[in-house]
């Protein structure tokens, strides 16, 4: 799991024992941690570790950490129905998103990937609306559609025209869809199991498949990378796939959730910044403009949905 969204839930009250600034601080810490995911995936995958090893191996390490956390705290096991729902979460954010982005970023620049993935908050909100059968204003769907069109236009123009989409773009689109479905279901399930518990059980559930894929990746191509690439991989394993969620979910729990959720919209900006500073990628005006348009659409789509939820709650 590399990105998370609170757009799956309606606004929640602030926990009385913590000031609102504390929630924002923890939320920003979590999002800052996640913002390194795209550039570090690009760093590890570019002429280094294989995409299959990166996408599956990081889930295996994170699953081991999750198993220790679950056993240490003696968490109750999910019910059979919850296991099926966890399978949806795992398929989207443990298997789909990491693998698809790993393959896409073997060729696509990190800044390009950050712009496309910037659509995720709006996509997650849309999936949450569909999953929860919510009634939202028409403006929500209009803005979400504009955001999708902006991403499509950006990706096409970056590759030379509307008929020149690269295969990496389709992988990134698939990653956004997979994560949106997984986050929407995970957000609902977190109300029953708890936030970090949902992440942990999803990792454990997917562990057998990810172990098998990791073994296959090692057999096909022995992992070989520079020390810097291995450090990037370690970050993806420990922080992007697991520890980052502790800060993010703590921020959401302290709240107010609607306010803390807006912090996620700075993630694409930070990812583009890290791509320039760490990977020395040249930032073009189309990249900057495309990122701003996508972020603006995501922001207004999320606010439209949260605004409707808040209005319904007051009635």
């Amino acid at each position: 799991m590399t990105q998370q969204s609170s757009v799956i839930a309606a606004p929640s009250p602030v926990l009385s024992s913590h000031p609102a600034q504390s929630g924002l601080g923890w939320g920003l810490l979590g999002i800052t941690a996640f913002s390194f995911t795209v550039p570090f995936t690009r760093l590890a995958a570019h002429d280094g570790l294989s995409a299959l090893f990166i996408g599956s191996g990081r889930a295996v390490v994170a699953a081991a950490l999750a198993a220790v956390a679950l056993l240490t705290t003696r968490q109750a096991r999910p019910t059979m129905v919850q296991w099926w729902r966890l399978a949806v979460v795992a398929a989207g954010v443990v298997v789909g998103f990491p693998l698809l982005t790993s393959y896409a970023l073997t060729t696509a620049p990190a800044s390009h990937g950050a712009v496309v993935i910037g659509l995720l908050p709006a996509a997650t909100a849309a999936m949450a609306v569909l999953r929860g059968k919510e009634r939202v204003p028409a403006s929500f769907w209009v803005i979400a559609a504009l955001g999708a069109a902006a991403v499509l236009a950006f990706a096409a123009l970056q590759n030379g025209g509307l008929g020149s989409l690269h295969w990496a773009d389709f992988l990134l689109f698939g990653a956004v869809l997979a994560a949106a479905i997984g986050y929407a279901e995970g957000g609902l399930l977190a109300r029953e199991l708890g936030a970090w518990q949902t992440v942990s059980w999803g990792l454990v559930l997917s562990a057998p498949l990810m172990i098998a894929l990791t073994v296959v990746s090692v057999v096909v191509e022995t992992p070989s990378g520079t020390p810097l690439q291995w450090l990037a991989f370690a970050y993806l394993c420990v922080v992007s796939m697991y520890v980052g969620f502790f800060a993010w979910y703590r921020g959401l729990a302290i709240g107010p959730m609607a306010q803390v959720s807006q912090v996620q919209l700075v993630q694409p900006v930070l990812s583009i910044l890290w791509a320039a500073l760490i990977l020395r990628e040249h930032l073009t005006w189309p990249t900057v403009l495309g990122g701003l348009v996508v972020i603006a659409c995501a922001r207004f789509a999320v606010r439209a949905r949260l605004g409707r939820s808040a209005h319904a709650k007051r009635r």
Side-chain angles (χ1 to χ4, degrees):
M1 272 165 277
T2 59
Q3 300 197 35
Q4 186 57 288
S5 178
S6 67
V7 293
I8 36 71
S12 64
V14 180
L15 296 183
S16 58
S17 59
H18 298 276
Q21 292 83 353
S22 177
L24 287 172
W26 281 106
L28 182 59
L29 179 61
I31 287 305
T32 302
F34 292 143
S35 69
F36 286 96
T37 300
V38 169
F40 279 177
T41 300
R42 171 65 174 168
L43 175 61
H46 185 61
D47 295 329
L49 304 174
S50 71
L52 182 59
F53 178 78
I54 295 171
S56 58
R58 73 197 212 188
V60 172
V61 175
L65 296 175
V68 171
L70 291 169
L71 289 173
T72 301
T73 56
R74 298 183 179 181
Q75 296 295 315
R77 292 186 178 183
T79 65
M80 183 59 67
V81 173
Q82 289 172 334
W83 278 119
W84 282 108
R85 295 173 65 189
L86 281 167
V88 175
V89 176
V93 299
V94 180
V95 181
F97 185 86
L99 285 174
L100 291 173
T101 53
S102 294
Y103 276 103
L105 292 170
T106 57
T107 57
S111 56
H112 181 95
V115 172
V116 177
I117 295 173
L119 185 63
L120 185 55
T124 304
M127 288 300 168
V129 167
L130 294 174
R131 174 65 175 81
K133 298 180 180 179
E134 298 179 24
R135 297 181 62 184
V136 293
S139 60
F140 169 84
W141 294 111
V142 172
I143 297 170
L146 288 175
V151 169
L152 182 62
F154 166 78
L157 292 174
Q158 287 277 288
N159 291 297
L162 293 178
S164 305
L165 286 176
H166 194 270
W167 63 269
D169 292 311
F170 293 104
L171 292 178
L172 290 170
F173 295 149
V176 169
L177 179 60
I181 294 173
Y183 287 162
E185 188 62 42
L188 295 173
L189 194 54
R191 300 173 183 174
E192 304 169 21
L193 296 177
W196 74 265
Q197 293 91 335
T198 299
V199 175
S200 298
W201 285 118
L203 284 164
V204 170
L205 179 61
S206 63
L209 172 61
M210 303 313 276
I211 290 173
L213 291 176
T214 302
V215 171
V216 170
S217 70
V218 172
V219 171
V220 172
E221 181 182 348
T222 303
S224 177
T226 65
L228 190 58
Q229 288 175 319
W230 280 110
L231 284 175
F233 175 71
Y235 186 94
L236 296 174
C237 295
V238 178
V239 180
S240 295
M241 286 294 289
Y242 198 54
V243 176
F245 287 103
F246 285 75
W248 177 234
Y249 279 132
R250 179 172 175 78
L252 295 178
I254 295 172
M257 187 177 289
Q259 186 176 2
V260 176
S261 70
Q262 302 304 302
V263 175
Q264 188 187 22
L265 298 174
V266 308
Q267 184 172 336
V269 177
L270 291 176
S271 293
I272 292 173
L273 178 62
W274 305 145
L277 295 178
I278 298 173
L279 304 179
R280 305 297 182 185
E281 290 186 3
H282 178 64
L283 295 184
T284 63
W285 279 112
T287 298
V288 175
L289 181 60
L292 292 176
V293 171
V294 171
I295 292 167
C297 289
R299 178 178 183 272
F300 288 121
V302 171
R303 287 179 66 87
R305 190 240 174 174
L306 290 175
R308 178 59 178 261
S309 298
H311 176 70
K313 200 172 183 180
R314 288 193 297 267
R315 291 181 61 182

